[in-house]
Amino acid sequence: MIRVLINGYKGKMGSESVLAVEKESDLELVDRTDQGDDLKARIESSKVDVVVDFTEPSCAMNNTKIIAESNAGGVIGTTGFQQSELDELRNVCANKSPGLLIAPNFSISAILLMKLSVIASQHMPDVEIIELHHPKKKDAPSGTAVKTAELISESQGKATVPRGTSDDRALGELHFGIPVHSVRLPGFLAHQEVIFGGEGQSLSIRQDSYNRTCFMPGVVLGIRKVMENPGLTYGLEHFLFND
Ligand code: NAD
């Protein structure tokens, strides 16, 4: 039985994680904490194996350091880590077991979309990305769209239409050389389509997240995998694929 503590349990992702952990027969929810609780003391007193953290960017590093310096492993979904902070955490938990997973995206379909897009771009390099989200989303384009563009560009994907005219604005914003189009509309949660064009053919790869439960299979997988993977892992894809 893996003993789990959820930090940020009153929030949207934390409360979903509570339900997800309670459903699994090999996981036991032994404690839950939120703002104002002494995380370090509770990890020790509850003797937890893994802490799941969905809090907020302003306290992400502080919480994650407390977890990294404890005997427990960590599954961190809170966003907003700087590269220097990731480097510091890698040092703090080198060889630590159970390890620490920091995953900016726990949606398995979103990770598969990126993986499949990289494969497709090796054969169909002309590509554009459309991402669609709810109107309250603060950033545009989404982090997942930019990450997808980066991965595709490393594998030779490119924009088709030449740039440099006043019409460029309507052609999407270039990220890593690939046009990204953002749509913000009520009714959507988080969706992305990657469209590849070729001679007489096209290929669309689309991913849709309908609600926050889409993240939970990834969180549960992360909890199990940090038990057997020491040190820092950045990105759930490392627990999904062998390469
Ligand atoms: P939320 O605002 O609904 O919940 C945040 C919770 O954290 C609240 O209950 C709040 O009281 C608590 N909190 C704040 N400061 C704290 C502290 N110092 N210690 C303990 N608890 C504290 O937010 P949310 O929608 O649940 O998102 C939480 C985080 O997860 C955000 O950073 C968000 O971007 C991220 N997120 C990640 C993924 C992913 O796949 N990795 C998916 C969705 C959201």
Side-chain angles (χ1 to χ4, degrees):
M1 195 67 98
I2 304 174
R3 296 169 63 81
V4 180
L5 181 155
I6 312 270
N7 191 35
Y9 80 98
K10 292 179 182 168
K12 294 182 281 297
M13 289 296 287
S15 52
E16 255 339 309
S17 303
V18 166
L19 296 175
V21 166
E22 283 177 339
K23 272 192 215 149
E24 300 299 321
S25 57
D26 60 332
L27 308 182
E28 185 184 3
L29 184 69
V30 292
D31 207 350
R32 53 188 96 183
T33 49
D34 206 280
Q35 195 155 25
D37 293 327
D38 184 340
L39 179 61
K40 185 170 185 286
R42 296 283 280 276
I43 293 173
E44 284 165 15
S45 64
S46 303
K47 297 187 173 51
V48 298
D49 297 312
V50 178
V51 179
V52 175
D53 186 287
F54 279 108
T55 55
E56 57 179 60
S58 61
C59 60
M61 185 58 182
N62 194 33
N63 285 337
T64 306
K65 260 172 101 171
I66 290 171
I67 298 163
E69 286 164 358
S70 76
N71 288 330
V75 171
I76 315 296
T78 310
T79 45
F81 287 91
Q82 305 293 319
Q83 186 55 49
S84 57
E85 294 176 329
L86 294 174
D87 293 342
E88 186 184 338
L89 289 166
R90 201 174 287 285
N91 284 333
V92 174
C93 62
N95 304 320
K96 174 185 156 70
S97 183
L100 193 70
L101 168 68
I102 299 179
N105 198 330
F106 278 102
S107 157
I108 289 173
S109 60
I111 294 169
L112 279 171
L113 170 118
M114 289 188 255
K115 179 85 171 171
L116 296 171
S117 297
V118 167
I119 295 171
S121 71
Q122 288 157 9
H123 304 280
M124 299 181 75
D126 296 312
V127 56
E128 304 208 9
I129 297 171
I130 304 173
E131 57 94 344
L132 310 92
H133 284 83
H134 58 89
K136 288 193 179 151
K137 184 169 174 57
K138 288 183 187 139
D139 53 328
S142 70
T144 301
V146 174
K147 183 74 187 166
T148 308
E150 181 180 6
L151 293 173
I152 290 175
S153 76
E154 283 167 5
S155 135
Q156 46 180 260
K158 62 179 189 303
T160 312
V161 181
R163 298 272 162 158
T165 72
S166 58
D167 293 336
D168 279 2
R169 277 176 308 162
L171 296 174
E173 189 172 79
L174 285 185
H175 289 267
F176 297 95
I178 293 167
V180 179
H181 310 259
S182 294
V183 177
R184 296 289 174 269
L185 280 173
F188 286 98
L189 181 63
H191 316 258
Q192 183 169 304
E193 190 162 347
V194 184
I195 307 174
F196 298 88
E199 291 266 332
Q201 58 192 317
S202 71
L203 169 68
S204 296
I205 306 176
R206 183 176 168 117
Q207 179 269 335
D208 299 280
S209 296
Y210 301 111
N211 56 48
R212 283 185 185 79
T213 60
C214 74
F215 299 114
M216 293 305 126
V219 171
V220 168
L221 177 80
I223 294 170
R224 293 185 180 126
K225 289 282 188 178
V226 287
M227 292 301 292
E228 54 198 56
N229 285 276
L232 173 69
T233 301
Y234 184 74
L236 189 66
E237 59 275 20
H238 298 290
F239 287 167
L240 287 173
F241 312 120
N242 292 325
D243 51 350

